[in-house]
């Protein structure tokens, strides 16, 4: 009997059309994902992982294959045109305005992506850019290639950082003036973690809408560039976040380096004091920092928190008990609240 992976692998080798859309094959060695019928040379069994949805392949950091074009398979002409706008301008944002200029309807395109891939066109674009940039950072190609690539002046992904890194030889850029970035997986999906030599400055789910803005802000606030790598703070974060998800960790002992205004710092400090498994409201948080009128400002500063989970903004809910806004998505917020609840309950039972 073949197991699921073997069945899919066989279909991949045989270019079995009936599996198109059933799985997406991520090739670990190239970070590209394909559909069953791809004409490209087939990867070794151990180098493939299979995804049941298009989004999960993107979430895992894979980019659509340029040969089989998994995005365009069975897509209407309009969609193919929109996708080619992205692949021809991989470093720029394609706006609704630009879609209209190309006689494309942003509404139709958004709906088609939602229906067929479970994400919006803009979310797809963002993942495409970020995955591209991250893979380039990872391969180290960026330092040389991008200096010749004027497209990297645009404020997209991590791209705009490359030119300045170029001016320094890699040997002179030390841990002091760079932000390191890495990616790891959690039960709620993959996350990016960034850290300087002083501490962690970002921890976010890879599909967070504000991600590129956060990268830009971090780089400008810290006057540092993002490059791929790992330091002690990043290693510690991976360990402690894994323990958090297992339910064995309730408090973090991770150094943070979170630039922001004085007000934001106050709000974030206040967030860190909310105990594990407890919920509070923006109103109570505003009272706690002696700014009872500043409820909206507190909510906004919460929204600017770039260190998910460790600075537990998921523990803040609306005054009426509703789960309002969460950068990582409301489903994740709900999951985190329930997770902490479950752990607290099982603790009381075992005591
Ligand atoms: Zn392919």
């Amino acid at each position: 009997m073949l197991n699921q992976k073997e069945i899919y692998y066989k279909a991949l080798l045989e270019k079995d059309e009936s599996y198109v859309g059933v799985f997406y094959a991520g090739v670990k060695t190239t970070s590209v994902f394909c559909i069953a019928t791809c004409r490209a040379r087939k990867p070794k069994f151990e180098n493939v992982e299979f995804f049941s949805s298009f989004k999960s392949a993107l979430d895992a950091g894979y980019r659509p294959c340029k040969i089989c074009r998994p995005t365009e398979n069975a897509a209407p002409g309009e969609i193919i045109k929109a996708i080619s706008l992205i692949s021809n301008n991989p470093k720029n944002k394609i706006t609704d305005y630009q879609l209209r200029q190309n006689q494309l309807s942003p509404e139709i395109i958004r709906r088609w992506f939602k229906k067929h891939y479970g994400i919006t066109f803009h979310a797809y674009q963002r993942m495409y850019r970020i995955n591209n940039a991250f893979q380039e950072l990872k391969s180290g190609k960026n330092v040389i290639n991008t200096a010749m690539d004027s497209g990297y002046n645009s404020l997209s992904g991590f791209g705009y950082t490359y030119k300045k890194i170029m001016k320094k030889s890699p040997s002179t850029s030390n841990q002091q003036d760079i932000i390191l970035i890495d990616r790891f997986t959690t039960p709620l999906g993959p996350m990016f973690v960034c850290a300087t030599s002083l501490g962690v400055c970002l921890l976010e789910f890879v599909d967070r809408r504000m991600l590129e803005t956060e990268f830009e802000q971090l780089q400008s606030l810290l006057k540092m560039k993002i490059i791929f790598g790992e330091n002690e703070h990043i290693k510690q974060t991976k360990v402690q976040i894994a323990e958090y998800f297992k339910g064995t960790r309730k408090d973090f002992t991770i150094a943070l380096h979170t630039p922001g205004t004085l007000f934001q710092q106050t709000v974030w400090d206040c967030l860190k004091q909310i105990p594990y498994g407890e919920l509070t409201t923006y109103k109570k948080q505003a009272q706690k920092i002696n700014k009872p009128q500043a409820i909206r400002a507190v909510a906004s500063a919460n929204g600017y928190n770039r260190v998910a989970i460790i600075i537990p903004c998921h523990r803040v809910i609306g005054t009426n008990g509703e789960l309002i806004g969460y950068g990582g998505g409301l489903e994740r917020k709900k999951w985190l609240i329930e997770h902490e609840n479950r752990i607290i309950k099982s603790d009381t039972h075992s005591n």
Side-chain angles (χ1 to χ4, degrees), residues 13-27:
L13 291 184
E14 291 169 356
K15 302 185 186 140
D16 188 338
E17 229 169 277
S18 62
Y19 282 86
V20 170
V22 173
F23 67 70
Y24 296 91
V27 183

Side-chain angles (χ1 to χ4, degrees), residues 205-270:
F205 292 100
V206 299
D207 54 5
R208 168 153 203 198
R209 193 182 264 218
M210 291 288 290
L211 205 50
E212 288 173 295
T213 312
E214 290 186 333
F215 288 136
E216 285 164 24
Q217 285 170 346
L218 263 187
Q219 297 186 103
S220 92
L221 287 167
L222 294 172
K223 299 192 173 52
M224 295 177 189
K225 305 301 162 195
I226 296 178
I227 67 168
F228 174 77
E230 195 184 45
N231 65 13
E232 282 312 307
H233 304 299
I234 289 180
K235 285 183 194 158
Q236 210 186 5
T237 303
K238 292 177 185 172
V239 171
Q240 296 198 8
I241 290 293
E243 292 167 347
Y244 169 86
F245 277 106
K246 252 192 284 167
T248 55
R249 174 172 291 278
K250 300 193 177 71
D251 296 294
F252 296 97
T253 57
I254 292 166
L256 299 180
H257 184 190
T258 50
T261 64
L262 193 60
F263 181 76
Q264 287 172 339
Q265 302 282 358
T266 313
V267 171
W268 297 338
D269 279 340
C270 191

Side-chain angles (χ1 to χ4, degrees), residues 32-35 38-40 65 67-70:
V32 149
F33 71 95
C34 292
I35 49 177
C38 187
R39 289 181 285 107
C65 168
I67 297 169
C68 61
R69 303 175 182 225

Side-chain angles (χ1 to χ4, degrees), residues 24 74 76 100 126 151 171 173 185 201 207 225 229 244 266 277 300 303 316 330:
Y24 296 91
R100 285 197 193 93
R126 192 170 54 244
S171 57
S173 66
T185 49
C201 49
D207 54 5
K225 305 301 162 195
Y244 169 86
T266 313
S300 147
V316 186
L330 286 184

Side-chain angles (χ1 to χ4, degrees), residues 31-292:
S31 295
V32 149
F33 71 95
C34 292
I35 49 177
T37 50
C38 187
R39 289 181 285 107
R41 204 155 63 90
K42 300 295 181 175
K44 287 188 184 151
F45 182 76
E46 62 269 26
N47 290 332
V48 199
E49 55 180 326
F50 291 98
F51 300 95
S52 55
S53 75
F54 179 83
K55 181 179 183 297
S56 50
L58 280 178
D59 274 350
Y62 290 96
R63 294 165 292 170
C65 168
K66 286 194 176 127
I67 297 169
C68 61
R69 303 175 182 225
T71 355
E72 299 173 32
N73 188 263
E78 254 192 310
I79 304 298
I80 295 174
K81 197 170 164 194
I83 290 166
S84 72
L85 282 177
I86 299 180
S87 43
N88 294 336
N89 308 277
K91 276 118 203 172
N92 298 318
K93 256 177 217 170
I94 309 297
T95 60
D96 284 357
Y97 176 75
Q98 284 165 301
L99 288 176
R100 285 197 193 93
Q101 275 188 321
N102 285 276
Q103 283 82 47
L104 297 168
S105 151
E107 292 75 23
I108 290 175
I109 287 164
R110 187 178 309 123
R111 248 178 281 138
W112 196 90
F113 264 81
K114 250 338 287 197
K115 187 169 170 222
H116 293 268
Y117 294 140
I119 50 175
T120 64
F121 178 65
H122 290 291
Y124 169 72
Q125 274 200 62
R126 192 170 54 244
M127 297 290 284
Y128 186 94
R129 282 194 305 269
I130 289 179
N131 287 347
N132 243 345
F134 188 69
Q135 293 305 336
E136 285 182 354
L137 285 177
K138 219 169 156 181
S139 67
K141 270 192 302 194
N142 54 356
V143 180
I144 305 148
N145 286 354
T146 54
M148 290 172 257
D149 185 347
S150 60
Y152 274 103
N153 283 322
S154 63
L155 290 182
S156 66
F158 316 89
Y160 55 98
T161 64
Y162 296 153
K163 277 220 161 142
K164 288 195 177 143
I165 295 175
M166 253 314 274
K167 289 184 186 151
K168 274 183 209 156
S169 78
S171 57
T172 60
S173 66
N174 55 37
Q175 294 268 317
Q176 244 62 133
D177 56 11
I178 49 172
I179 302 165
L180 293 170
I181 185 165
D182 203 359
R183 188 182 161 121
F184 66 101
T185 49
T186 77
L188 282 184
M191 298 185 92
F192 280 122
V193 53
C194 294
T196 65
S197 59
L198 297 177
V200 167
C201 49
L202 181 141
L203 178 65
E204 295 281 21
F205 292 100
V206 299
D207 54 5
R208 168 153 203 198
R209 193 182 264 218
M210 291 288 290
L211 205 50
E212 288 173 295
T213 312
E214 290 186 333
F215 288 136
E216 285 164 24
Q217 285 170 346
L218 263 187
Q219 297 186 103
S220 92
L221 287 167
L222 294 172
K223 299 192 173 52
M224 295 177 189
K225 305 301 162 195
I226 296 178
I227 67 168
F228 174 77
E230 195 184 45
N231 65 13
E232 282 312 307
H233 304 299
I234 289 180
K235 285 183 194 158
Q236 210 186 5
T237 303
K238 292 177 185 172
V239 171
Q240 296 198 8
I241 290 293
E243 292 167 347
Y244 169 86
F245 277 106
K246 252 192 284 167
T248 55
R249 174 172 291 278
K250 300 193 177 71
D251 296 294
F252 296 97
T253 57
I254 292 166
L256 299 180
H257 184 190
T258 50
T261 64
L262 193 60
F263 181 76
Q264 287 172 339
Q265 302 282 358
T266 313
V267 171
W268 297 338
D269 279 340
C270 191
L271 282 173
K272 280 192 269 177
Q273 289 159 26
I274 311 169
Y276 183 91
E278 285 182 27
L279 297 178
T280 188
T281 63
Y282 296 121
K283 194 174 165 188
K284 284 188 199 156
Q285 290 293 92
Q287 287 162 352
K288 221 170 152 193
I289 60 166
N290 294 319
K291 295 238 165 49

